[in-house]
């Protein structure tokens, strides 16, 4: 019985992460680093977002923050107990702190972030023993797809920069 529950949960995690990836694609289309996030409560999307740093001229407009703000506004509460957050990449320290302050119950993320990850890759902000809020964390859901969208974005960006450099020299 427990195995079926885990399988269903894994299937749900994959389905929600696919939708978070759609948010990441929206970010890429806008020229933003392609990261997407969802906030789910009782099987429904209550918040969603993608990186908007450039669009909003806001260094805090990471996908997770945008999704948390959306959920808090919709639910009329800054505390998001019982909510699950799906993010296409491991949260940074700022986003991890926001997840803690919002009292999120569970985080599921796709790709690990070896440069800024705060769920264990370089920092352990989430579930730090000295902090008062703990959440369940599941890493690696659709990790390959989540990494691929980021790698493609940065590869294209490097190629554009190289072409612009060649054009300047011509």
């Amino acid at each position: 019985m427990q195995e079926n529950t885990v399988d269903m949960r894994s299937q749900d995690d994959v389905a929600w992460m696919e939708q978070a990836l759609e948010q990441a694609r929206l970010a890429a289309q806008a020229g933003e680093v392609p990261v997407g996030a969802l906030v789910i409560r009782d099987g429904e999307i209550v918040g969603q977002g993608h990186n908007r740093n450039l669009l909003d001229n806001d260094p805090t407009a990471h996908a997770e923050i945008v999704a948390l703000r959306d959920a808090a506004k919709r639910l009329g509460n800054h505390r998001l107990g019982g909510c699950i957050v799906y993010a296409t990449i491991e949260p940074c320290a700022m986003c991890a702190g926001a997840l803690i302050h919002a009292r999120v119950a569970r985080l599921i993320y796709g790709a690990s972030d070896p440069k800024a990850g705060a769920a264990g890759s370089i920092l352990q902000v989430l579930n730090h023993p000295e902090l008062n809020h703990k959440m369940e964390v599941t890493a690696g859901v659709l990790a390959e797809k989540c990494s691929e969208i980021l790698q493609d974005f940065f590869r294209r960006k490097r190629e554009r920069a190289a072409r612009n450099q060649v054009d300047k020299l011509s």
Side-chain angles (χ1 to χ4, degrees), residues 53 57 60 62-64 68 74-75 80 87 128 137 140-142:
N53 304 87
N57 293 312
T60 68
H62 289 194
E64 301 94 326
L68 290 172
R74 285 188 194 185
L75 297 173
L80 301 174
H128 189 281
V137 178
V141 174
L142 296 182

Side-chain angles (χ1 to χ4, degrees), residues 124-132 134:
Q124 187 64 52
V125 174
L126 296 177
N127 298 328
H128 189 281
E130 299 298 318
L131 295 176
N132 65 337
K134 308 293 185 245

Side-chain angles (χ1 to χ4, degrees), residues 58-114:
D58 181 355
T60 68
H62 289 194
E64 301 94 326
I65 301 293
V66 173
L68 290 172
R69 287 175 180 159
D70 188 31
K73 186 175 180 179
R74 285 188 194 185
L75 297 173
N77 195 336
H78 69 288
R79 298 288 192 217
L80 301 174
C83 289
I84 302 170
V85 171
Y86 289 84
T88 58
I89 192 168
E90 179 181 1
C92 68
M94 174 185 70
C95 293
L99 294 168
I100 291 165
H101 287 294
R103 304 297 192 260
V104 168
R106 185 172 178 234
L107 165 69
I108 297 89
Y109 67 87
S112 294
D113 186 348

